[in-house]
Amino acid sequence: MIRVLAIDDEPLALKQLAAYIGKIPYLELVDTCQSALDALKVMEEEVVDAIFVDINMPDLNGMDFVKSLLVPPLVVFTTAYSEYAVEGFRVDAVDYLLKPFGLQDFQRAAQRLKDRFEATRALDGQTQPSAPQPAVAPADDSMFLKTDYKTVRISVKDIRYVEGMSEYLKIYLEGQPKPLIVLLSMKKMEERLPQDSFMRIHRSYIINLSKIREVNKNRVIMDEDTYLPIGDLYKETFQNYLSSKFLGK
């Protein structure tokens, strides 16, 4: 059986998608979700082999959601906008269903999903993906974080900055082109990071002080493309830090 997750912010479309999945004997519906954030929560707890995901969704759209996953499951995109087809295949999507689609179109996508799934399992030599393990903070300069449906280890010193996004965090790492997305509060991350090298400068940002390139008025410049605002509540603390490091008049 292929364990699948259905994701769509439109209740009727999600209901239809779930009904189609139920008609395919080799698909097992793990859950239905109305947002990418809900899907992340499910993927933290359940083994998910594949997702049927709408592209146009609020907060985090389906395309960005898939791009953010370090080890994404197999993906079938669903959307009413045909211009996303090329981009969908660039992220190695198994198929692309243009709304409104019927059962015959869905069966075609499901068969392609089955073919890819079997080919991947034959290549891996595995019969069942590993269940997620709980995150644990070790004593050394590293931490384990649950992202996608995997647990990954990162070095604290590699964290450039953390961005708070509603119920989840984006963790930007040195040398990594895209952030990790984890379900975690800013408060818990702030408590976990060493206070002598990390500082919260805004309700939505924690920065690695050693990664600062420049401070310009009310902005911290991390690199040529990243300008982070300094919030009013955090200005005094940040200014005190700068003063302690300042050399010259």
Side-chain angles (χ1 to χ4, degrees):
M1 295 290 285
I2 304 173
R3 293 171 57 83
V4 302
L5 193 61
I7 311 166
D8 198 309
D9 64 310
E10 299 177 4
L12 291 178
L14 188 60
K15 183 177 180 180
Q16 182 190 53
L17 189 56
Y20 284 166
I21 291 171
K23 293 180 182 295
I24 307 299
Y26 49 82
L27 297 184
E28 177 186 351
L29 181 62
V30 175
D31 206 344
T32 59
C33 301
Q34 289 189 247
S35 74
L37 299 182
D38 290 342
L40 278 173
K41 293 177 183 178
V42 174
M43 293 170 72
E44 291 283 355
E45 303 296 333
E46 300 284 350
V47 173
V48 175
D49 300 312
I51 57 176
F52 289 84
V53 56
D54 184 33
I55 293 178
N56 292 85
M57 296 188 295
D59 294 329
L60 185 64
N61 71 52
M63 189 68 68
D64 289 341
F65 170 59
V66 172
K67 288 179 179 179
S68 74
L69 302 177
L70 287 181
V71 187
L74 299 176
V75 178
V76 176
F77 283 116
T78 66
T79 185
Y81 301 92
S82 60
E83 62 266 26
Y84 287 112
V86 173
E87 188 176 1
F89 287 112
R90 284 176 180 167
V91 297
D92 198 29
V94 174
D95 206 350
Y96 177 97
L97 287 167
L98 184 63
K99 295 179 180 179
F101 53 86
L103 180 59
Q104 185 174 357
D105 294 325
F106 184 84
Q107 288 173 327
R108 180 206 69 218
Q111 183 60 51
R112 288 182 178 178
L113 181 65
K114 181 174 182 286
D115 292 343
R116 179 79 70 88
F117 179 77
E118 291 175 346
T120 301
R121 298 306 278 277
L123 184 64
D124 291 342
Q126 298 177 346
T127 58
Q128 181 68 31
S130 300
Q133 299 298 317
V136 179
D140 60 5
D141 181 36
S142 63
M143 64 174 68
F144 285 98
L145 295 169
K146 291 196 293 184
T147 179
D148 313 345
Y149 53 101
K150 303 290 184 180
T151 300
V152 298
R153 182 175 187 165
I154 66 170
S155 176
V156 171
K157 70 178 186 301
D158 288 338
I159 298 175
R160 298 176 58 242
Y161 66 97
V162 178
E163 180 180 5
M165 303 287 289
S166 185
E167 298 177 337
Y168 64 96
L169 302 179
K170 289 183 177 181
I171 302 176
Y172 293 82
L173 300 171
E174 198 72 44
Q176 296 293 331
K178 58 186 179 182
L180 294 180
I181 295 182
V182 299
L183 284 163
L184 194 66
S185 70
M186 285 288 279
K187 181 180 179 182
K188 285 191 177 294
M189 178 57 76
E190 190 175 12
E191 291 172 350
R192 172 64 179 86
L193 293 171
Q195 295 184 5
D196 59 341
S197 51
F198 287 84
M199 183 178 292
R200 192 166 183 173
I201 61 165
H202 188 274
R203 64 183 181 85
S204 299
Y205 294 103
I206 300 171
I207 63 170
N208 186 334
L209 297 168
S210 68
K211 306 295 184 182
I212 297 174
R213 176 180 293 186
E214 184 180 336
V215 179
N216 189 334
K217 296 182 180 179
N218 291 325
R219 299 183 302 176
V220 174
I221 301 173
M222 306 299 288
D223 56 49
E224 60 185 14
D225 298 317
T226 308
Y227 294 70
L228 306 181
I230 303 170
D232 291 338
L233 293 176
Y234 306 90
K235 282 182 181 178
E236 183 177 354
T237 302
F238 185 67
Q239 188 58 52
N240 289 340
Y241 165 77
L242 290 181
S243 297
S244 71
K245 300 293 183 181
F246 191 78
L247 183 64
K249 296 182 178 180

